[in-house]
Structures are given as structure tokens and as C-alpha cells.
Amino acid sequence: MENLVQEIERKFLVKEMPVLIAASSERVRQGYLTRDSDSTELRLREKGGTYYLTLKGGGSTVRTEREAEI
């Protein structure tokens, strides 16, 4: 199943890391492939034994993201 979304990506600098308290957690492994010529990224993510392939591209603030379970 493929999902198509638009992502607004913002980055912030913080003075120090906040204390994070989570009710539960899940291990996520991921890696990226990128090209210097544009802002396209390909991500492979494994979460809970399920794998996802995500293509991110276009623009620097608002980008299109396509994700498919593999």
C-alpha cells in the first residue's frame, strides 16, 4: 500500500536536550540514499518487523513524500 503526503519540514536549534519520558518505545532502523544534484531522498525503514521504502523530493520546506510497505 502506498501513501502520498506533503511534508513540511522544520528544523530548530535548541540550547539543551529536553528530558523525554515515553510511556512505550519501539526500535526503528533506517538509512538514507541521497544525491548531491537535488533534494531527493530515498529512505529504507524497519519498524516492528515491517519494512517501508519512502521517496522524498521537491523543494526544501514543503516536500512530497511517497511511502510503500515492502
Side-chain angles (χ1 to χ4, degrees):
M1 181 176 168
E2 182 181 321
N3 294 321
L4 174 64
V5 297
Q6 282 206 321
E7 172 185 76
I8 298 175
E9 193 163 307
R10 294 189 173 103
K11 297 177 183 177
F12 301 92
L13 294 175
V14 295
K15 291 182 180 181
E16 61 185 59
M17 287 294 294
V19 176
L20 302 175
I21 301 172
S24 64
S25 64
E26 182 176 24
R27 184 180 177 101
V28 175
R29 297 186 314 155
Q30 64 184 21
Y32 287 86
L33 295 173
T34 62
R35 299 188 322 192
D36 290 334
S37 60
D38 61 20
S39 62
T40 302
E41 294 179 348
L42 186 65
R43 177 181 71 205
L44 177 61
R45 175 181 281 174
E46 185 265 327
K47 184 166 73 171
T50 304
Y51 292 83
Y52 303 92
L53 191 61
T54 305
L55 178 65
K56 296 180 174 191
S60 59
T61 304
V62 178
R63 303 186 329 161
T64 301
E65 182 175 303
R66 291 179 172 270
E67 182 173 87
E69 185 177 325
I70 56 173

